[in-house]
């Protein structure tokens, strides 16, 4: 055959047209035929068409931000995405509920219904480094774990024993001292989970019922190190108190470091932050083509805020009502009402206004006997946050307090408190956001009057109450069901996003710019008449993406995974986000992985039962761990990482890839 007519001398445009019909593997093999074929095989338009074809990427979506080569993108999706099952771990004896990596990628922690928390060495092969049986503290199971920023402490939350118990507890383990428990604290409800605020402080929750279908969720800020040389050294401060309606509550909290874009000038028609709400399922304008990825170059938010935590103490004042009752006239603070009787000192304001949302309320329990009051005052858990104005007691506290009384800014970064909530029904269907400006932690407790003085005050108050009742003056009982009437007693939520479905999981992107949320949607246009009877939820799970700068939903919904349990049995399916990928568990016995930018599912990873949680190694996102009800953890690595470990690729189980592997010539 004439050499000019051989395939190696075909024109470039003809070779490109032929290569478009071949598999990527075949193209790479043919690139060694000649220099011409090698050059044509690296054509960017060729690999762009292969990326769009093999992963079914929307043709309108461009290359991922920061990337310049479609050939490199194809190799990343093919060779650098976790896909090979390299290890199966069987350390737990019951369903594995959660897995989380340390920030340095050296360790990961697992939680299970067997009541154990385990700390694993993340090297190859993975091995158990420490473990602890939390059943000794009446834990039914461990359910969630999170490392602090320096990877020196591990937060673990769990559920107490009891078929109908909604109470839980948080334990903090010291990773520098052989996995010893450093402190424990109550957490209610248990699916509040808890989270780190910064390296040395963590958040826990409390739930208190006020009336039928109405409750309040209290967010507590806790020291991770609670050893103290003085009873006057504070170990916890109250941060926020939120109003809950429709039998719902604050759940699944997390903290994000705020990022900002250039602020627009407010208009007269703009809603205030406290009542701003978005319905992203019905707002078509909040969707964009292509999904966002991380943007680490964004500037951090400034510290300007209009939140009440930054208000000066003199802005908050009280006045006397006609019945002689002290009422707050500023919605920023709330104190229990006190009779303005002779020789009765009302509780003062916060000892530091930067300690946010520090308030309490009293109800009909004030009518209990003196003995009950003595017991209540001697055991109340929230007394560290009461700042009384009694001068004698303050002097006593100052004389006994430690030298660690100075107050400094806890964290200079402005943050978002993010949580799930509900307003139309008890199931979580909304994302709530509360902006947190830098503030100080009140280190010293001002105990106020002594116990005997408090009892005397309570007696005089009851006597004054009886006199008022005798004159026909009823006490000012709050109507908790009327939010407008009691709104000044609670912290406002700055922003609410309604996702119109049951929220079953959420995770932040590594740069804290985006929030990814697992949602099982409700039927479109459904009407909720009874908050105790939420709408049916779909088996399909949607992953919504929320931009925490604009507070809008962006990109297209990520879909593929499924769940089957009804509303009253629905449980959390944890997802995780890396710079390039999103992964989630599912009830269909698979874990799934998507590309963040292209918005397509890349693969699914089989288990024998429900996959509850997934976690990327933050230092190496080519490693993914899945946790399942089949009592196992599986470690998935990319083909590239497996070759680096000299593992036999042909012998390793492969996840189910969604890459189109057949050519048009077959």
């Amino acid at each position: 055959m004439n050499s000019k007519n051989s395939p190696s001398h075909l024109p470039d445009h003809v070779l490109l047209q032929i290569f478009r019909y071949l598999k990527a593997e075949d193209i790479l093999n043919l690139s060694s035929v000649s220099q011409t074929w090698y050059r044509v095989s690296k054509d960017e338009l060729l690999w762009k068409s292969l990326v769009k074809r093999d992963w079914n990427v929307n043709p309108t979506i461009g290359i991922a931000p920061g990337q310049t080569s479609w050939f490199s993108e194809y190799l990343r999706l093919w060779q650098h995405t976790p896909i090979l099952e390299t290890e199966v771990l069987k350390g737990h004896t019951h369903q594995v509920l959660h897995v989380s990596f340390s920030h340095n990628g050296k360790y990961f922690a697992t939680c299970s219904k067997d009541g154990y928390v385990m700390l694993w060495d993340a090297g190859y092969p993975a091995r158990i480094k420490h473990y602890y049986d939390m059943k000794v503290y009446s834990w039914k199971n461990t359910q969630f774990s999170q490392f602090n920023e320096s990877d020196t402490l591990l937060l673990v939350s769990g559920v107490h024993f009891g078929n109908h118990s909604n109470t839980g507890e948080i334990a903090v383990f010291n990773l520098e001292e052989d996995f010893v428990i450093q402190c424990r604290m109550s957490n209610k409800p248990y699916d509040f989970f808890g989270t780190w605020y910064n390296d040395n402080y963590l958040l826990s929750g409390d739930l208190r019922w006020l009336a039928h279908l109405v409750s309040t969720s209290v967010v507590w800020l806790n020291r991770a190190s609670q050893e103290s040389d003085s009873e006057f050294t504070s170990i916890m401060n109250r941060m926020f108190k939120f109003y809950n309606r429709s039998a719902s509550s604050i759940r699944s909290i997390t903290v994000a470091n705020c990022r900002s874009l250039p602020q627009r000038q407010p208009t007269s028609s703009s809603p205030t932050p406290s009542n701003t709400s978005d319905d992203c399922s019905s707002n078509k304008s909040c969707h964009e083509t292509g999904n966002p990825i991380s943007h680490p170059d964004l500037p951090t938010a400034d510290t300007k805020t209009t939140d009440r935590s930054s208000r000066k103490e003199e802005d908050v004042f009280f006045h006397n009502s006609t019945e002689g009752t002290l009422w707050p006239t500023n919605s920023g603070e709330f104190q229990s009402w006190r009779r303005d009787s002779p020789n009765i000192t009302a509780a003062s304001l916060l000892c530091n206004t930067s300690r946010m949302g520090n308030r309490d309320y009293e109800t009909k329990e004030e009518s209990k006997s003196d003995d009950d009051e003595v017991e209540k005052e001697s055991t109340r858990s929230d007394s560290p946050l009461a700042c009384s104005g009694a001068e004698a007691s303050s002097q006593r506290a100052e004389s006994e307090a430690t030298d660690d009384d100075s107050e400094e800014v806890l964290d200079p970064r402005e943050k978002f408190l993010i949580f799930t909530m509900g307003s139309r029904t008890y199931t979580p269907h909304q994302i709530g956001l509360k902006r947190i400006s830098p503030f100080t932690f009140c280190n010293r407790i001002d105990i106020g009057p002594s116990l005997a003085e408090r009892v005397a005050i309570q007696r005089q108050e009851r006597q004054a109450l009886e006199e008022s009742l005798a004159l026909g003056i009823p006490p000012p009982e709050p109507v908790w069901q009327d939010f407008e009437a009691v709104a000044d007693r609670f912290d406002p939520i700055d922003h609410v996003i309604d996702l119109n479905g049951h929220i079953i999981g959420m995770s932040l992107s590594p740069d804290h710019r985006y929030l990814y949320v697992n949602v099982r949607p409700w039927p479109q246009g459904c009407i909720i008449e009874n908050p105790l009877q939420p709408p049916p939820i779909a088996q399909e799970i949607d992953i919504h993406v929320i931009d925490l700068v604009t507070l809008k939903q962006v990109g297209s919904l990520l879909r593929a995974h499924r769940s089957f349990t009804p509303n009253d049995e629905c449980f959390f399916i944890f997802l995780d986000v890396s710079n390039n990928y999103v992964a989630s568990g599912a009830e269909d016995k698979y874990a799934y992985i998507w590309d963040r930018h292209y918005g397509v599912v890349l693969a699914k990873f089989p288990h024998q039962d429900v996959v509850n949680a997934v976690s990327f190694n933050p230092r190496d996102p080519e490693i993914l761990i899945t946790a399942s009800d089949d009592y196992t953890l599986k470690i998935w690595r990319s083909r590239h990482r497996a070759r680096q470990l000299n593992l036999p690729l042909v012998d390793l189980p492969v996840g189910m890839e969604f890459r189109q592997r057949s050519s048009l010539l077959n």
Side-chain angles (χ1 to χ4, degrees):
M1 183 174 64
N2 192 320
S3 61
K4 293 184 179 180
N5 296 326
S6 65
S8 60
H9 289 81
L10 290 174
D12 288 1
H13 70 276
V14 175
L15 282 175
L16 279 174
Q17 191 64 24
I18 294 173
F19 283 3
R20 290 179 189 274
Y21 290 96
L22 302 180
K23 300 177 185 178
E25 298 93 320
D26 298 333
I27 296 174
L28 294 178
N29 290 331
L30 292 173
S31 67
S32 61
V33 170
S34 67
Q35 292 183 350
T36 300
W37 285 34
Y38 177 82
R39 175 172 48 80
V40 173
S41 70
K42 296 298 188 290
D43 185 86
E44 282 297 307
L45 291 178
L46 169 64
W47 288 101
K48 176 181 179 180
S49 66
L50 294 180
V51 168
K52 301 296 180 73
R53 181 197 73 185
D54 290 359
W55 277 281
N56 196 28
V57 175
N58 188 322
T60 64
I61 298 179
I63 196 169
Q67 304 300 319
T68 58
S69 170
W70 284 102
F71 175 68
S72 298
E73 279 293 270
Y74 195 103
L75 290 183
R76 175 180 68 82
L77 296 172
W78 176 26
Q79 294 292 320
H80 296 270
T81 299
I83 192 62
L84 300 177
E85 180 189 304
T86 58
E87 295 177 77
V88 179
L89 309 179
K90 299 181 178 180
H92 287 286
T93 59
H94 211 304
Q95 299 169 356
V96 188
L97 303 179
H98 190 256
V99 57
S100 64
F101 262 102
S102 61
H103 297 83
N104 59 22
K106 295 181 179 180
Y107 307 102
F108 61 90
T110 57
C111 299
S112 170
K113 282 190 176 181
D114 61 12
Y116 280 82
V117 55
M118 294 186 177
L119 181 70
W120 302 73
D121 190 318
Y124 181 81
R127 62 179 181 86
I128 299 175
K129 183 177 178 65
H130 296 291
Y131 62 89
Y132 205 102
D133 184 6
M134 297 304 294
K135 293 193 296 296
V136 299
Y137 297 111
S138 299
W139 285 30
K140 183 179 180 180
N141 56 259
T142 55
Q143 63 171 354
F144 175 81
S145 63
Q146 187 183 59
F147 291 82
N148 69 340
E149 294 177 347
S150 62
D151 294 326
T152 57
L153 301 172
L154 177 67
L155 177 156
V156 180
S157 71
V159 184
H160 281 152
F161 276 109
N163 293 331
H164 303 287
S165 173
N166 70 338
T167 62
E169 194 172 56
I170 295 174
V172 175
F173 288 84
N174 193 315
L175 304 184
E176 297 180 316
E177 299 181 4
D178 296 328
F179 210 58
V180 298
I181 293 181
Q182 186 165 289
C183 64
R184 290 161 47 214
M185 60 211 66
S186 176
N187 191 44
K188 182 179 181 180
Y190 61 78
D191 53 1
F192 191 89
F193 292 130
T195 189
W196 288 103
Y197 183 79
N198 65 5
D199 203 44
N200 297 302
Y201 291 82
L202 62 149
L203 303 181
S204 63
D206 189 18
L207 179 66
R208 304 175 184 179
W209 287 97
L210 304 176
H212 181 58
L213 303 181
V214 177
S215 64
T216 179
S217 290
V218 181
V219 180
W220 292 94
L221 179 66
N222 308 267
R223 288 182 183 271
S225 177
Q226 299 192 352
E227 294 182 357
S228 174
D229 296 330
S230 170
E231 61 180 308
F232 299 107
T233 300
S234 176
I235 60 174
M236 58 191 301
N237 282 189
R238 179 179 293 164
M239 287 189 69
F240 298 114
K241 185 173 70 174
F242 297 117
Y243 181 91
N244 303 320
R245 67 188 77 200
S246 301
S248 66
S249 65
I250 301 299
R251 312 180 191 184
S252 314
I253 66 165
T254 190
V255 172
N257 296 320
C258 289
R259 293 182 173 274
S260 64
L261 291 177
Q263 296 184 358
R264 296 176 299 176
Q265 293 296 328
T267 62
S268 58
S269 60
S270 299
T272 58
S274 62
N275 60 11
T276 302
S277 177
D278 286 335
D279 188 339
C280 282
S281 65
S282 60
N283 187 1
K284 297 182 180 180
S285 63
C286 64
H287 294 274
E288 301 173 358
T289 300
N291 280 328
I293 63 172
S294 298
H295 297 284
D297 56 333
L298 281 175
T300 56
D302 57 28
T303 57
K304 294 181 180 180
T305 179
T306 58
D307 185 54
R308 65 176 47 135
S309 61
S310 63
R311 296 177 182 174
K312 296 181 180 180
E313 184 172 356
E314 58 264 26
D315 292 336
V316 183
F317 58 93
F318 284 74
H319 75 280
N320 292 335
S321 68
T322 55
E323 287 81 22
T325 303
L326 290 175
W327 290 100
T329 59
N330 186 294
S331 61
E333 308 296 341
F334 169 73
Q335 291 286 348
S336 306
W337 67 273
R338 301 283 188 178
R339 283 287 170 183
D340 191 15
S341 303
N343 303 321
I344 296 181
T345 303
S348 71
L349 299 178
L350 293 174
C351 59
N352 191 318
T353 56
S354 61
R355 200 181 339 149
M356 296 166 295
N358 175 18
R359 39 192 174 270
D360 198 3
Y361 59 88
E362 297 177 11
T363 58
K364 297 180 180 178
E365 293 181 355
E366 291 186 348
S367 60
K368 291 184 179 180
S369 65
D370 294 346
D371 293 338
D372 291 340
E373 184 61 36
V374 171
E375 181 179 359
K376 175 182 177 182
E377 292 292 341
S378 62
T379 61
R380 57 186 301 169
S381 60
D382 57 351
S383 59
L385 293 173
C387 296
S388 172
E391 181 178 356
S393 299
S394 298
Q395 293 176 351
R396 184 171 66 254
E398 290 178 3
S399 64
E400 298 184 28
T402 64
D403 294 333
D404 188 23
D405 290 341
S406 61
E407 294 182 357
E408 58 185 24
V409 175
L410 196 64
D411 194 314
R413 298 168 295 184
E414 197 163 277
K415 297 174 181 284
F416 263 135
L417 180 67
I418 306 172
F419 45 85
T420 64
M421 55 177 288
S423 62
R424 293 184 283 165
T425 181
Y426 72 90
T427 59
H429 58 91
Q430 296 170 321
I431 298 294
L433 300 104
K434 179 67 177 177
R435 202 175 189 97
I436 307 175
S437 297
F439 64 98
T440 58
F441 186 91
C442 188
N443 292 312
R444 190 182 65 212
I445 304 171
D446 190 350
I447 64 171
S450 66
L451 178 60
E453 293 169 340
R454 295 183 187 181
V455 171
I457 291 174
Q458 291 293 330
R459 287 174 177 169
Q460 294 183 50
E461 288 179 344
R462 276 193 289 271
Q463 182 179 357
L465 177 61
E466 293 173 357
E467 294 174 354
S468 298
L469 292 175
L471 297 174
I473 304 175
E477 291 289 342
V479 181
W480 298 113
Q481 289 88 345
D482 184 0
F483 174 69
E484 298 300 328
V486 297
D488 59 345
R489 309 183 183 209
F490 302 93
D491 291 289
I493 297 173
D494 293 336
H495 198 86
V496 176
I497 302 174
D498 199 320
L499 297 180
N500 291 288
H502 195 132
I503 299 173
I504 59 172
M506 62 182 184
S507 179
L508 289 166
S509 61
D511 63 356
H512 289 203
R513 169 72 188 268
Y514 298 100
L515 180 70
Y516 286 72
V517 188
N518 265 338
V519 180
R520 294 179 62 182
W522 292 333
Q524 188 173 4
C526 65
I527 298 176
I528 302 175
E529 297 180 351
N530 185 344
L532 300 180
Q533 296 179 353
I537 50 179
Q539 292 185 353
E540 294 77 16
I541 303 174
D542 295 337
I543 297 182
H544 296 250
V545 188
I546 298 172
D547 187 339
L548 294 180
V549 172
T550 64
L551 301 182
K552 298 291 185 181
Q553 184 172 344
V554 295
S556 55
L557 298 178
L558 304 181
R559 289 174 174 163
H561 48 330
R562 297 165 64 87
S563 288
F564 308 106
T565 51
N567 270 311
D568 55 349
E569 299 177 12
C570 204
F571 52 87
F572 225 63
I573 298 291
F574 293 93
L575 65 163
D576 196 21
V577 186
S578 71
N579 283 334
N580 293 316
Y581 307 111
V582 181
S584 176
E587 291 185 44
D588 57 11
K589 303 181 182 180
Y590 290 96
Y592 292 79
I593 184 170
W594 295 261
D595 182 87
R596 284 183 61 184
H597 174 71
Y598 302 116
V600 293
V601 60
L602 303 177
K604 61 180 182 179
F605 310 109
H607 273 269
Q608 298 300 312
D609 209 331
V610 172
V611 180
N612 294 303
V614 298
S615 184
F616 288 103
N617 187 322
R619 292 299 179 92
D620 187 1
E622 296 186 32
I623 300 175
L624 175 71
I625 300 182
T626 55
S628 172
D629 277 357
D630 62 11
Y631 301 9
T632 69
L633 297 131
K634 292 185 177 182
I635 301 182
W636 306 84
R637 288 179 168 88
S638 67
R639 294 180 173 91
H640 174 68
R641 286 288 178 262
R643 281 193 293 268
Q644 288 183 328
L645 294 173
N646 296 319
L647 300 178
L649 273 64
V650 294
D651 297 332
L652 295 175
V654 184
M656 301 177 63
E657 292 184 277
F658 286 86
R659 184 170 70 102
Q660 303 295 326
R661 306 186 67 177
S662 60
S663 70
L664 297 179
L665 297 179
N666 289 343

